[in-house]
Amino acid sequence: MSALRHPLQLVPGIVLSVLVAAAALAAAWAEQVFLGEAWLEGLVLAILFGAAISSIARISPAFRPGIDFCAKAVLEVAIVLLGASISLAALGDAGLGLVGGIVGVVVLSLVAGYAISRALGLSRGLATLVACGNSICGNSAIAAAAPVIRAEASEVAASLSFTAFLSILVVLLLPVLYAAIGMSPVQSGVLAGLTVYAVPQVLAAAAPAGAIGIQVGTLVKLVRVLMLGPVIFLLGLTHGRKTGVKLGFFEMVPWFIIGFLAMMGLRSADLIPAPALPVMHETSGLLTIVAMAALGLTVDMRSVMKSGGRVIVAALLSLTALGVASYALIRFLGIA
């Protein structure tokens, strides 16, 4: 790609990315209205729509600068804003034993997910994305990890598509599991918070356990999401070493991760005005959808489908390992 000579060169690609994102949001809205539930989130639909367009039509090189801008710069801003939605205030209420257990489960799941994916022949980048998505917070973790490890667009598309499918499966199966093994509302909430990817999906999965299950699930999910910052930080530190490239601090730890952690600190210190929090959260979500649409526009679906079977098996086995570790934690801590 030639160097950008004028900011106006960004316009065609940005407009295309925004249009694809708008179509994805409209489709998600239609799901909610006609099916009663958005089974595929707008973020996932955005990358699928973008990939479909990229695979069916030959996109003109004139769109490439703007598409690349959205896939990188816009995503980085979205990640920074995401930090404002996370507070450390609720951690004290969870208890040190449970917090430590959640951290341990996430770390174990990351290691197991990566090992399983590599054993199935996935690339290092794709294995890392599958492990992060399963272990922390699904699409958001994948989107945050991708630029740090310099993942290929096809790797991001594959991990997003198949982890999204599995997240729906988990939401449907967990209520059946609660009843089958006689889990209490608190146990159900802990299991939902540890295994389901997105917060809205945690609410849906914990709803059969009642208000207590929803509250516990949300709190556990918060602790799990807080692992995103440290994990991305470590990925930034280790990525340069694995490639044999000597990087400076701001190359090992990208600016947007520092911004993410700074936003977390500001939120925890109550330095962000309360009315601004929902605006920042919504803006982060919208920018992420635009970035994922742009990422989809760079993907050739044929390369994604070549590794599809192995990716879904890796994600399924990784998710199973996470579920087993989560249930073991519940038993170990004696959560009633």
Side-chain angles (χ1 to χ4, degrees):
M1 183 184 72
S2 60
L4 183 65
R5 296 180 183 277
H6 196 283
L8 287 178
Q9 289 182 314
L10 298 175
V11 173
I14 291 176
V15 170
L16 179 59
S17 299
V18 170
L19 288 175
V20 173
L25 288 172
W29 174 83
E31 285 184 278
Q32 187 72 47
V33 171
F34 296 108
L35 302 178
E37 177 110 20
W39 294 104
L40 287 178
E41 299 175 4
L43 187 150
V44 177
L45 289 171
I47 197 167
L48 292 178
F49 285 2
I53 293 172
S54 178
S55 300
I56 295 172
R58 177 171 294 182
I59 298 177
S60 168
F63 290 92
R64 187 59 55 194
I67 290 173
D68 291 342
F69 174 80
C70 288
K72 185 178 185 298
V74 171
L75 176 58
E76 291 172 350
V77 173
I79 294 170
V80 171
L81 293 176
L82 179 64
S85 66
I86 301 172
S87 173
L88 300 172
L91 290 181
D93 298 332
L96 292 179
L98 180 56
V99 171
I102 295 170
V103 172
V105 166
V106 170
V107 171
L108 179 63
S109 177
L110 282 167
V111 174
Y114 182 81
I116 290 169
S117 299
R118 290 293 288 157
L120 288 171
L122 302 188
S123 66
R124 291 185 176 183
L126 186 50
T128 300
L129 295 180
V130 169
C132 288
N134 272 296
S135 304
I136 306 174
C137 50
N139 299 329
S140 297
I142 291 170
V148 177
I149 66 171
R150 299 179 177 88
E152 298 291 335
S154 58
E155 294 174 332
V156 180
S159 56
L160 278 173
S161 299
F162 293 113
T163 54
F165 164 75
L166 290 177
S167 70
I168 296 170
L169 185 64
V170 172
V171 170
L172 294 175
L173 292 181
L174 275 183
V176 178
L177 182 61
Y178 304 153
I181 61 180
M183 299 186 74
S184 71
V186 174
Q187 292 173 332
S188 301
V190 172
L191 186 63
L194 280 171
T195 55
V196 180
Y197 298 153
V199 173
Q201 294 168 344
V202 170
L203 300 180
I212 294 178
I214 292 175
Q215 292 169 5
V216 172
T218 302
L219 178 59
V220 171
K221 179 61 183 174
L222 169 64
V223 178
R224 193 169 154 216
V225 171
L226 288 174
M227 292 292 292
L228 180 60
V231 168
I232 299 302
F233 179 85
L234 290 175
L235 286 176
L237 290 176
T238 60
H239 183 71
R241 296 173 187 171
K242 287 183 178 180
T243 57
V245 178
K246 292 184 178 180
L247 301 175
F249 177 78
F250 289 101
E251 293 173 303
M252 291 190 296
V253 186
W255 75 270
F256 58 90
I257 298 304
I258 297 173
F260 175 91
L261 296 174
M263 283 293 183
M264 272 182 48
L266 292 173
R267 168 68 188 275
S268 300
D270 291 326
L271 295 177
I272 299 177
L277 293 175
V279 175
M280 296 173 75
H281 178 74
E282 289 297 324
T283 301
S284 174
L286 291 173
L287 291 179
T288 301
I289 292 174
V290 172
M292 291 301 102
L295 194 61
L297 290 168
T298 68
V299 172
D300 181 354
M301 283 302 294
R302 289 171 294 184
S303 64
V304 174
M305 297 310 297
K306 287 180 182 178
S307 62
R310 288 176 293 149
V311 174
I312 197 166
V313 171
L316 181 59
L317 291 177
S318 300
L319 188 58
T320 301
L322 174 61
V324 171
S326 301
Y327 186 73
L329 176 65
I330 292 172
R331 291 303 184 190
F332 176 75
L333 293 178
I335 298 174

